[in-house]
Amino acid sequence: MNKIITLLIPALFIFIQIGLAQTKSKKFSNEGEFTSNCEGPAVDEEGNVYAVNFARDGTIAQINKRGNASFFVTLPKGSTGNGIRFVDKNTFYVADFTGHNVLKVNMITKDISVFANEPKMNQPNDLAITASGHIFCSDPNWKEGTGQIWHITPEGKVSLAEGNMGTTNGIDVSPDEKKLYVNESVQRKIWVFDLASDGTLSNKKLLHQFEDGGMDGMRCDVQGNLYIARHGKGEVAVLSPEGKVIQTIQTIGKKVSNICFGGKNGKTCYITLQDRGCLESFNAKIAGREWAMMKAFAANNKK
């Protein structure tokens, strides 16, 4: 009997994990509060979510745990936000697609500065970041159907990491920081690169290609699974590190633009919906990499 119980416990644990994961998203913030450029999002240590283009383009909102949104900051004239990423507990970066910048926002003072500028950028779209502060910026040219990836050092030096790509969009770093993932929205391809500690990319390989629908922002969980916003498809696809679709979450809106992890255990996914002008949420099986990074930022801040 004891042997049977011992064998059943792991199976029961797996069953419970699967049961806790949702297959459909639910409403989080009020519909229509954001513009059709609703994007971001990112979560701070307290569990507040930040998303861009609240009420009008060029703004960033803070959404509390109950889904109530309010103005947080307004970006400088000529700037419009897209992806957001935290670099420490009190600082986040914003991809400024109209100003060709990566902006730096101090959450305490609410000061906004240009961290990196590159006139050759088409339109900075989404950001990925390592624990040491290396930034990777996807940069699509929608008109030409092309794109590139920029590398920005912790000091703000910009260099082209990879050119000659399709419409680069969603981007993230693996939990061990040895891989960089980037997707191409129009081509429906997800690529994986080997990532060196100095930010150099090599050994480009195709991880997965979808037959239909678009792609937008994406994030890794702590086990390396990729959660991909399927813009126009009305779903979030979860890929294993080997590139196999292991789960699909149906969303209320169709134009899913981006995703982040937060919540008490890092297993709440918040997604931005451009057609509904709001955020939705769902529960994941595994905590997000960026949530784990925020916990590490907070711990370092207390030392």
Side-chain angles (χ1 to χ4, degrees):
M1 179 64 72
N2 289 338
K3 187 176 180 180
I4 295 172
I5 293 172
T6 301
L7 291 171
L8 284 174
I9 287 174
L12 180 62
F13 178 74
I14 293 170
F15 176 79
I16 290 171
Q17 275 197 314
I18 293 171
L20 289 174
Q22 293 179 341
T23 57
K24 293 183 179 180
S25 66
K26 60 183 180 181
K27 295 178 181 179
F28 179 61
S29 69
N30 295 323
E31 188 169 1
E33 291 185 323
F34 289 81
T35 76
S36 59
N37 286 319
C38 181
E39 259 275 9
V43 179
D44 67 16
E45 186 197 10
E46 302 300 323
N48 300 302
V49 186
Y50 298 82
V52 301
N53 305 316
F54 177 64
R56 62 180 185 276
D57 286 351
T59 62
I60 296 179
Q62 182 188 76
I63 307 105
N64 67 20
K65 297 174 185 178
R66 296 183 178 181
N68 298 319
S70 58
F71 282 103
F72 185 70
V73 292
T74 298
L75 300 180
K77 186 177 181 181
S79 293
T80 312
N82 206 77
I84 300 175
R85 278 300 190 128
F86 277 87
V87 68
D88 61 42
K89 179 183 174 182
N90 298 315
T91 311
F92 62 76
Y93 294 125
V94 184
D96 170 14
F97 72 89
T98 53
H100 304 279
N101 302 311
V102 173
L103 302 174
K104 183 177 182 178
V105 179
N106 183 312
M107 293 179 60
I108 305 301
T109 64
K110 296 190 177 181
D111 287 339
I112 304 171
S113 58
V114 175
F115 180 72
N117 173 267
E118 176 49 67
K120 293 181 182 178
M121 287 181 176
N122 302 306
Q123 57 168 72
N125 190 284
D126 208 354
L127 305 174
I129 194 165
T130 68
S132 59
H134 286 270
I135 302 170
F136 295 91
C137 178
S138 61
D139 183 30
N141 182 330
W142 295 99
K143 184 178 179 181
E144 301 295 331
T146 60
Q148 47 203 2
I149 304 171
W150 296 92
H151 170 227
I152 306 166
T153 67
E155 296 74 38
K157 182 181 179 182
V158 184
S159 61
L160 185 65
E162 184 74 18
N164 302 315
M165 296 194 68
T167 49
T168 49
N169 199 329
I171 191 167
D172 205 6
V173 175
S174 64
D176 63 5
E177 301 194 349
K178 293 182 178 180
K179 303 288 183 183
L180 179 77
Y181 301 100
V182 63
N183 68 45
E184 298 170 335
S185 293
V186 175
Q187 293 78 11
R188 304 189 185 101
K189 295 179 179 180
I190 303 170
W191 298 94
V192 56
F193 295 85
D194 287 342
L195 172 60
S197 58
D198 64 354
T200 305
L201 302 181
S202 62
N203 197 25
K204 177 184 177 183
K205 291 182 180 179
L206 182 65
L207 182 71
H208 188 86
Q209 183 171 8
F210 288 102
E211 294 181 357
D212 60 3
M215 286 187 289
D216 210 319
M218 62 185 188
R219 294 291 184 269
C220 279
D221 65 25
V222 294
Q223 292 186 7
N225 301 303
L226 274 173
Y227 292 64
I228 304 161
R230 301 275 275 123
H231 194 279
K233 186 77 172 173
E235 64 184 39
V236 174
V238 184
L239 262 64
S240 70
E242 295 74 33
K244 181 182 178 181
V245 177
I246 56 176
Q247 189 185 4
T248 301
I249 297 93
Q250 300 297 320
T251 60
I252 301 169
K254 293 296 183 184
K255 296 182 178 180
V256 195
S257 59
N258 219 327
I259 181 170
C260 70
F261 284 81
K264 184 178 179 180
N265 299 312
K267 297 179 182 179
T268 301
C269 292
Y270 299 100
I271 52 176
T272 46
L273 283 299
Q274 294 184 333
D275 53 340
R276 295 188 64 230
C278 64
L279 280 75
E280 298 173 14
S281 67
F282 65 89
N283 293 330
K285 302 175 187 178
I286 302 162
R289 170 183 171 264
E290 62 184 327
W291 175 84
M293 287 179 69
M294 177 55 74
K295 290 297 179 183
F297 292 152
N300 290 335
N301 201 60
K302 293 175 182 178
K303 290 180 180 178

